[in-house]
Amino acid sequence: MRLWWAPGRVQIEGKTPDYRFSLANERTFLAWLRTGLALVGGGFAVDQFLPDEERALRTVLAVALLVGGALCALRAVSHWLRCERAMRRGEDLPVSRFPTVLALAVGVLSVVMVLVVALGWAG
């Protein structure tokens, strides 16, 4: 986590990889940030637009999306750093279960939101 605040220190490890790989790693990082921002935006939208009658359900859905967005952003930094270090060291890229967990969580939340809207649970 110390390297999060001093990413330049990664450069002292191993050899400099082909710049295209570093740029691809950075694009992936930015894609994770966009995903996190979308989840945060969705959390605020749920909180603002679902009716007040089911405040508890609305709050649970909104908080789940907001927490997912925060986790996604934090994971983006961690994954970027781990991949950059692996490339510099000539190691295999790190494997992560986070994309699977995120996809399942978004899928479950989506099904819940479809039920809320279709069955009128929120209003």
Side-chain angles (χ1 to χ4, degrees):
M1 200 164 158
R2 286 179 306 171
L3 291 175
W4 287 20
W5 305 105
R9 291 186 13 205
V10 173
Q11 293 177 339
I12 62 174
E13 294 188 38
K15 297 185 305 184
T16 301
D18 185 331
Y19 72 91
R20 293 173 291 183
F21 298 122
S22 290
L23 291 174
N25 189 29
E26 190 171 311
R27 284 190 303 274
T28 302
F29 166 75
L30 293 172
W32 279 105
L33 285 184
R34 284 191 303 273
T35 301
L37 284 170
L39 290 169
V40 167
F44 282 119
V46 163
D47 185 54
Q48 290 299 306
F49 297 116
L50 284 182
D52 277 334
E53 287 82 25
E54 292 291 332
R55 179 80 180 148
L57 178 61
R58 185 175 94 177
T59 301
V60 167
L61 291 173
V63 168
L65 288 165
L66 292 168
V67 168
L71 290 175
C72 201
L74 293 173
R75 184 65 179 134
V77 176
S78 173
H79 190 71
W80 170 81
L81 185 60
R82 291 173 55 218
C83 286
E84 196 66 30
R85 290 177 84 183
M87 288 188 298
R88 295 188 72 79
R89 293 174 177 175
E91 300 171 353
D92 289 340
L93 294 179
V95 178
S96 174
R97 290 188 191 108
F98 188 77
T100 303
V101 171
L102 181 64
L104 290 172
V106 168
V108 167
L109 275 172
S110 297
V111 167
V112 169
M113 292 172 100
V114 165
L115 292 173
V116 165
V117 172
L119 300 177
W121 290 349

